[in-house]
Amino acid sequence: MGRHMIAGDLNDDGTVPKRRKTSPYIAALIPLYLVMILLVIGPLVYTVMLSFATNVGNGGFSWKLTVENYRRMIDPVYRVTFLKSIQLAFLSTLLISLIGYPFGYWMSRLSKKWKKIMILLVVIPFGVNSLIRYYGIIILLQSKGVLNWLLLKLHLIEEPIKFLYNYSTVLAGMVYGLLPFMILSVYSSAEKIDWTLVEASRDLGATKTEAFFSIIFPLTIPGLFSGVILSFVPSMGLFFVSEILGGNKIVLVGSLIQDQMTRGGNWPFAAAIAVLLTIVTSVLLIASARISQLQGETRKGNNLI
Amino acid sequence: MNDDILVLSDVCKSYDGVSVLKHLFLKVKEGEFLTLLGASGCGKTTTLRIIAGLDSPDSGNVVLEGNDVCDLEPNQRDVNTVFQSYALFPHMDVEKNIGYPLKLKRVPRLEIAERVNEILKLVQLEGFNHRRVPNLSGGQKQRVALARALVSKPRILLLDEPLGALDLKLRRMMQIELKRLQKLLGLTFIYITHDQEEALNMSDRIAVMNNGVIEQIDASDVIYNKPRTSYVASFVGNANIIKGLVASVENDAAVVKFCEQTFLFSKPGLKAGEELHFALRTEHVILNAPDSKFHATVVEKSFRGSMLRIVLKTQCNQEIVSTNFGVDSKLKEGDKVLFSWKDENIVLVDHE
């Protein structure tokens, strides 16, 4: 885009001013670009390249290009893992939405003081490393853990219950870890709703329920979508949740990649899986962003992404 | 005969211990254009919200068409509101906004479309059906809000400073149009404003509110010409308040002392020594007439478009404002003048 010359652009004596040089401040952005190129774009390009390399075993590879790594994923074992991961991500996102939406909405209706307290409570867990939190869950849930001890003491159960190392524990772990994102993004969009709109709908004949579904819900959809993205994308990749709480019995895409990198020693294949995962999540992300944009066009900046 | 469509009696309301409405009484006649006029914070919006059911009174009754509606939710009252901020639903287009109350009433879709088009014609927005709310101008939003509140044919329409955000020219136009609509539909309008000119322009009756009570409710001309309190007099039409002392009483007329001079005021029952307050409209102040007898000095002179505004200071340091068409414009600041008024233009008012 060239700078268009208009009358106001002339100097006081009527001459055309010299074209302004590029701002000197642009130099200040160079470190940022360096970081982006080195740490974001570089590894991404490298991963894509790696996914077409040939595996020579034990973590070694040669740059002989091949599509073998992608062809291999057609294998039912990997297909099932992918589908299972997507299924788990869908399920956890659904649960997160069902719990997080009402919670976030409820928070937006609290008094100023209680809003602050609740936000603090929701955010506090982020202060502790998530690995440590998940190991903490093991202490709570294991056979000789706190919960079983309590239930035994209360004579509610005869024998310790095996909470850990199954699908529902992994699911619960995902929900636990990602719920705050949903709560906060729903809260932020519900908080911005002009309450006069709700009063207007009530005044025009809507019951409380009708007002909720015709006004509040549509206006919080952008927040809900942000929350969905923020919980769906990570739950595809949080391999350590299934590692820790699933005890390696639940294999997800994330753990598959990690496994191929370490034990399998097949870097090109790990890279291929990672590329596919990136593509799948990107497609889902773009799709939801589109829907969210359509829904929320009338409302200003609500998307966290 | 009882033609009151709405009766508020002894309504009290306070927020956080501050009382906003103090034993408010209000009767609204069917089909009239009633304006609640008052400064901000006088309780007029609260009154409206209580009528709509968006707030409930601490005590007192709200009777709509003979039924106490205090326990009814806003959606159960046949009363619609045009909000100051318009409160149009941003995620719906014009047609969906206007059709909203009909959809809630489960009106068939075809009939909704028909009625929406009808009302769009009425508010002169034909063809705007699928416009998006953010793309409308202030005046158009105003009309859509009005159409949405009217489409379900409520018994009463409440309007909360609906023209507040519009520029002067558009305001004037909308005032005329609102009045036209109200007459055309024969609907009861309760209109809130702090703009006395707007109130005088449109209303059948005006209720002047101050500090949580209605100080006077009367036809517009009565409010203007016979204000009952000093507040009403100075809020509507900027009157001067003249404070006088009854010096003596002779046959139903009092000799009132004001600024080293006296004037006669006829009213039975006055007592000597009593302090009285009078309202004198700025346009009724007569300057330098042969019989003018009150001394004053010009302290300010300003030109207000169609009229000249002159501020005088009397001998006893009271400011008197005079506005007049084509008054002796040779007067300048510091000039000594004499002023007076005609007997019929001075009104005795209550003063709190």
Side-chain angles (χ1 to χ4, degrees):
Chain A
M1 259 195 316
R3 241 165 80 83
H4 296 281
M5 301 303 295
I6 51 168
D9 276 333
L10 296 178
N11 288 337
D12 289 343
D13 55 4
T15 57
V16 177
K18 275 187 203 156
R19 223 194 133 105
R20 210 168 287 158
K21 282 185 194 150
T22 319
S23 161
Y25 302 109
I26 205 117
L29 289 173
I30 289 173
L32 175 74
Y33 285 118
L34 278 180
V35 168
M36 285 293 284
I37 290 167
L38 277 175
L39 301 179
V40 182
I41 300 169
L44 205 64
V45 171
Y46 185 70
T47 310
V48 173
M49 278 162 60
L50 195 59
S51 72
F52 291 103
T54 309
N55 177 40
V56 296
N58 290 327
F61 55 87
S62 81
W63 284 114
K64 214 178 87 189
L65 298 185
T66 172
V67 285
E68 168 63 20
N69 302 313
Y70 287 97
R71 207 196 51 75
R72 216 180 135 191
M73 271 186 277
I74 299 168
D75 189 314
V77 179
Y78 302 120
R79 225 171 46 210
V80 166
T81 309
F82 242 98
L83 289 177
K84 256 201 174 161
S85 298
I86 293 178
Q87 185 200 37
L88 183 79
F90 264 113
L91 259 179
S92 57
T93 305
L94 182 70
L95 280 177
I96 288 166
S97 310
L98 286 177
I99 303 167
Y101 184 91
F103 197 97
Y105 174 62
W106 168 74
M107 258 171 66
S108 76
R109 301 297 306 144
L110 293 173
S111 68
K112 254 197 187 134
K113 181 184 140 202
W114 279 102
K115 271 180 194 168
K116 274 187 196 153
I117 295 173
M118 287 312 299
I119 289 173
L120 196 68
L121 288 176
V122 171
V123 172
I124 277 176
F126 289 124
V128 180
N129 184 293
S130 52
L131 274 178
I132 294 171
R133 279 189 284 138
Y134 282 110
Y135 280 112
I137 291 180
I138 292 190
I139 297 171
L140 271 175
L141 297 183
Q142 66 195 350
S143 304
K144 289 177 184 167
V146 179
L147 189 59
N148 271 316
W149 173 82
L150 196 71
L151 290 171
L152 284 169
K153 280 278 171 199
L154 293 169
H155 298 287
L156 289 169
I157 52 171
E158 301 287 314
E159 274 175 48
I161 297 174
K162 265 197 82 156
F163 289 116
L164 284 173
Y165 313 127
N166 57 46
Y167 191 80
S168 16
T169 320
V170 176
L171 184 61
M174 291 283 185
V175 172
Y176 160 75
L178 299 169
L179 188 59
F181 296 108
M182 176 63 80
I183 292 176
L184 292 178
S185 67
V186 169
Y187 166 81
S188 80
S189 73
E191 228 251 329
K192 278 185 226 142
I193 291 183
D194 175 4
W195 204 248
T196 327
L197 296 178
V198 181
E199 289 189 335
S201 86
R202 299 275 284 124
D203 184 67
L204 292 167
T207 62
K208 280 180 179 160
T209 323
E210 284 168 334
F212 177 83
F213 284 106
S214 61
I215 308 299
I216 296 168
F217 188 69
L219 291 178
T220 48
I221 282 178
L224 180 62
F225 264 99
S226 306
V228 164
I229 291 164
L230 287 175
S231 40
F232 187 84
V233 175
S235 58
M236 288 285 284
L238 276 183
F239 64 89
F240 58 85
V241 177
S242 66
E243 289 259 315
I244 296 168
L245 299 179
N248 257 344
K249 275 196 287 181
I250 316 294
V251 181
L252 298 180
V253 181
S255 18
L256 190 66
I257 297 170
Q258 189 225 10
D259 216 44
Q260 288 297 326
M261 291 286 258
T262 54
R263 266 167 294 190
N266 189 345
W267 281 39
F269 185 47
I273 306 171
V275 168
L276 187 65
L277 178 63
T278 311
I279 291 170
V280 169
T281 41
S282 305
V283 166
L284 290 167
L285 212 134
I286 292 165
S288 4
R290 272 283 158 78
I291 301 168
S292 157
Q293 202 186 3
L294 286 180
Q295 289 283 343
E297 230 170 22
T298 51
R299 292 171 50 70
K300 277 170 267 167
N302 196 10
N303 298 322
L304 290 170
I305 297 189
Chain B
M1 201 193 94
N2 185 5
D3 60 353
D4 292 330
I5 188 168
L6 177 77
V7 180
L8 301 193
S9 46
D10 206 12
V11 170
C12 296
K13 177 75 184 173
S14 58
Y15 291 110
D16 303 323
V18 180
S19 76
V20 181
L21 296 183
K22 299 161 183 165
H23 306 283
L24 181 106
F25 290 83
L26 175 65
K27 283 182 178 176
V28 183
K29 292 190 192 104
E30 167 118 49
E32 77 171 327
F33 194 125
L34 176 78
T35 297
L36 298 182
L37 176 66
S40 58
C42 71
K44 54 193 194 300
T45 296
T46 305
T47 309
L48 209 69
R49 291 177 61 85
I50 284 174
I51 298 170
L54 298 168
D55 269 325
S56 49
D58 298 337
S59 62
N61 285 316
V62 180
V63 177
L64 180 63
E65 296 188 284
N67 305 311
D68 191 329
V69 294
C70 272
D71 295 327
L72 292 185
E73 297 275 312
N75 54 311
Q76 294 164 316
R77 304 188 186 190
D78 215 356
V79 170
N80 284 349
T81 309
V82 176
F83 291 84
Q84 192 173 8
S85 60
Y86 315 135
L88 297 180
F89 306 131
H91 55 301
M92 301 179 191
D93 61 12
V94 167
E95 185 176 283
K96 290 229 172 69
N97 261 288
I98 299 177
Y100 185 80
L102 299 177
K103 206 177 155 199
L104 290 169
K105 283 188 173 163
R106 313 275 187 274
V107 174
R109 193 184 287 209
L110 277 175
E111 196 191 325
I112 292 182
E114 213 170 279
R115 281 171 71 178
V116 167
N117 284 331
E118 213 171 277
I119 201 97
L120 275 175
K121 202 181 287 179
L122 200 65
V123 297
Q124 300 170 10
L125 280 181
E126 268 176 294
F128 275 68
N129 301 48
H130 300 295
R131 287 288 190 98
R132 298 166 46 73
V133 169
N135 302 340
L136 299 174
S137 73
Q140 290 164 345
K141 282 182 186 167
Q142 179 53 61
R143 285 158 199 262
V144 174
L146 191 65
R148 186 179 67 177
L150 285 173
V151 76
S152 59
K153 298 183 176 130
R155 298 290 295 132
I156 300 179
L157 188 71
L158 307 174
L159 302 104
D160 186 3
E161 301 208 28
L163 309 183
L166 304 180
D167 61 67
L168 191 64
K169 213 175 143 196
L170 202 55
R171 267 177 101 122
R172 295 258 162 81
M173 241 170 72
M174 284 303 291
Q175 284 173 13
I176 295 166
E177 199 167 318
L178 275 175
K179 187 70 193 162
R180 173 184 73 91
L181 273 175
Q182 188 259 342
K183 271 192 183 152
L184 186 74
L185 301 168
L187 208 62
T188 311
F189 273 34
I190 302 178
Y191 188 94
I192 279 188
T193 184
H194 59 260
D195 181 340
Q196 40 116 349
E197 201 188 307
E198 197 166 288
L200 292 168
N201 256 345
M202 305 165 77
S203 325
D204 297 323
R205 286 198 305 158
I206 297 176
V208 181
M209 282 186 78
N210 180 31
N211 220 348
V213 290
I214 290 173
E215 291 224 345
Q216 185 174 359
I217 176 164
D218 264 314
S220 310
D221 57 321
V222 179
I223 291 276
Y224 191 83
N225 292 325
K226 296 267 176 260
R228 209 170 318 150
T229 68
S230 57
Y231 181 83
V232 174
S234 45
F235 196 82
V236 184
N238 312 316
N240 294 298
I241 302 298
I242 285 170
K243 200 165 93 178
L245 200 70
V246 180
S248 58
V249 180
E250 306 160 357
N251 317 324
D252 283 359
V255 177
V256 183
K257 206 171 158 216
F258 168 65
C259 259
E260 321 293 327
Q261 298 286 338
T262 55
F263 63 90
L264 270 179
F265 183 76
S266 318
K267 187 184 186 265
L270 293 172
K271 289 183 203 77
E274 214 176 335
E275 200 180 70
L276 299 178
H277 289 86
F278 301 92
L280 174 64
R281 294 268 161 227
T282 55
E283 67 269 29
H284 291 150
V285 177
I286 302 169
L287 296 182
N288 287 338
D291 59 343
S292 294
K293 56 181 172 180
F294 300 101
H295 294 272
T297 316
V298 176
V299 292
E300 202 187 306
K301 190 172 128 183
S302 56
F303 184 58
R304 290 275 164 103
S306 58
M307 48 175 61
L308 195 65
R309 180 174 185 269
I310 294 172
V311 183
L312 310 172
K313 192 160 247 171
T314 61
Q315 283 173 318
C316 40
N317 253 343
Q318 200 197 341
E319 279 198 348
I320 297 287
V321 179
S322 128
T323 51
N324 274 293
F325 300 100
V327 153
D328 181 1
S329 55
K330 274 169 275 175
L331 282 174
K332 54 185 187 298
E333 280 165 37
D335 282 358
K336 303 264 181 230
V337 289
L338 289 169
F339 72 94
S340 60
W341 54 79
K342 285 185 185 146
D343 287 349
E344 69 264 28
N345 286 337
I346 192 160
V347 182
L348 183 65
V349 293
D350 288 339
H351 187 83
E352 66 252 39

